[in-house]
């Protein structure tokens, strides 16, 4: 059974102080984008299908659109169709075979969607879920064990590691360590002289 979350976009924006502040300052686009980002994170954590619905019913000749924003669907309703109407219609078709939750604080809408078999989530409850999700993510991230260092020196045999360490500590970097000098001299002595 698939899980769906239908979100009444403007209802949430005007209910959450951090988003409402954008709207009150005349920056509704920023409020929409912020909500889309938040719901995208929510979807990534809970792995459900999120459909965010914005009213477009007052826009003349608006055909309505459905867009994919990262991992969520964003719907702008067509002219003369409210977000509530779209949510009711979509919920009616999804709720029969899926688990559907609708995020809105509109009481009339809540009654209608409950009658159609979905569960409701108020704007405040959704905000609490978001805060809980952030806490869980922080907790999971902070408790990830530190990865073991994987350096070249850790994977060498002890003799080679000691030789490299001596080379590193040599005062004159042009001069090889003592052990290397002896090996080079032995090689020179065992090589056959070149014929003129």
């Amino acid at each position: 059974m698939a899980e769906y979350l239908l979100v009444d976009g403007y209802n949430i924006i005007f209910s959450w102080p951090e988003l409402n502040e954008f709207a009150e300052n005349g920056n509704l686009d920023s409020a929409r984008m912020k909500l889309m980002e938040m719901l995208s994170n929510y979807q990534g954590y809970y792995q459900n299908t999120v459909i965010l619905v914005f009213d477009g019913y007052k826009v003349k000749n608006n055909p309505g659109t459905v867009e994919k924003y990262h991992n969520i669907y964003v719907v702008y309703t067509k002219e003369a169709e409210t977000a509530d109407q779209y949510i009711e219609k979509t919920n009616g078709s999804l709720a029969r075979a899926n688990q559907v939750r609708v995020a809105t604080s509109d009481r009339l809408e809540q009654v209608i969607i409950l009658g159609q078999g979905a569960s409701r989530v108020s704007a405040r409850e959704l905000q609490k879920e978001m805060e809980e999700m952030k806490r869980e993510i922080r907790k999971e991230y902070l408790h990830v064990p530190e990865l073991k260092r994987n350096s070249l020196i850790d994977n060498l045999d002890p003799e080679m590691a000691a030789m490299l360490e001596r080379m590193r500590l040599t005062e004159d970097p042009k001069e090889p360590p003592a052990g290397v000098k002896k090996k080079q001299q032995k090689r020179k002595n065992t090589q056959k002289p070149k014929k003129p």
Side-chain angles (χ1 to χ4, degrees):
M1 181 182 288
E3 293 182 24
Y4 288 84
L5 175 68
L6 299 171
V7 180
D8 184 340
Y10 289 128
N11 185 276
I12 299 297
I13 285 173
F14 294 116
S15 298
W16 289 1
E18 65 183 293
L19 298 177
N20 190 31
E21 187 177 327
F22 286 114
E24 285 179 351
N25 292 327
N27 203 343
L28 203 51
D29 284 341
S30 294
R32 278 194 297 264
M33 288 304 295
K34 179 75 174 166
L35 179 58
M36 288 160 61
E37 284 294 324
M38 294 167 84
L39 288 172
S40 181
N41 291 337
Y42 180 93
Q43 190 285 330
Y45 186 77
Y46 288 109
Q47 298 297 307
N48 54 2
T49 301
V50 175
I51 303 171
L52 174 59
V53 185
F54 291 110
D55 284 319
Y57 74 101
K58 289 183 179 179
V59 181
K60 279 270 189 221
N61 301 319
N62 179 13
T65 60
V66 178
E67 303 168 0
K68 186 98 174 181
Y69 179 79
H70 299 306
N71 52 354
I72 67 171
Y73 296 96
V74 181
V75 176
Y76 294 92
T77 63
K78 61 187 176 186
E79 181 184 9
E81 181 182 39
T82 66
D84 291 348
Q85 290 168 331
Y86 183 90
I87 289 170
E88 288 167 24
K89 180 176 65 178
T90 304
N91 177 53
S93 62
L94 291 174
R96 292 181 205 115
N98 302 288
Q99 183 180 345
V100 180
R101 298 170 70 217
V102 177
T104 183
S105 287
D106 181 324
R107 299 220 177 186
L108 179 59
E109 185 65 15
Q110 289 176 353
V111 170
I112 293 168
I113 58 106
L114 285 170
Q116 292 178 328
S119 58
R120 67 153 184 89
V121 181
S122 70
R124 175 181 251 171
E125 289 168 333
L126 183 61
Q127 191 172 27
K128 284 181 183 176
E129 284 180 22
M130 292 271 193
E131 290 164 3
E132 179 61 28
M133 174 195 73
K134 288 177 191 173
R135 278 193 296 275
E136 288 296 318
I137 290 171
R138 275 191 219 105
K139 190 166 92 176
E140 286 174 24
Y141 177 75
L142 292 174
H143 288 91
V144 172
E146 190 176 322
L147 296 175
K148 185 180 179 249
R149 239 182 66 196
N150 188 18
S151 65
L152 174 65
I153 200 93
D154 292 336
N155 294 308
L156 292 174
D157 67 85
E159 186 180 320
M160 181 61 76
M163 186 181 86
L164 287 173
E165 184 63 15
R166 283 191 305 274
M167 285 175 67
R168 187 181 71 80
L169 297 174
T170 302
E171 288 184 26
D172 185 0
K174 293 176 187 171
E175 284 291 316
V180 174
K181 276 185 187 178
K182 288 178 187 175
K183 287 179 185 175
Q184 287 174 347
Q185 285 175 350
K186 282 182 188 177
R187 279 191 211 132
K188 284 181 185 177
N189 294 338
T190 58
Q191 291 178 352
K192 293 180 182 178
K194 293 181 183 177
K195 293 182 182 178

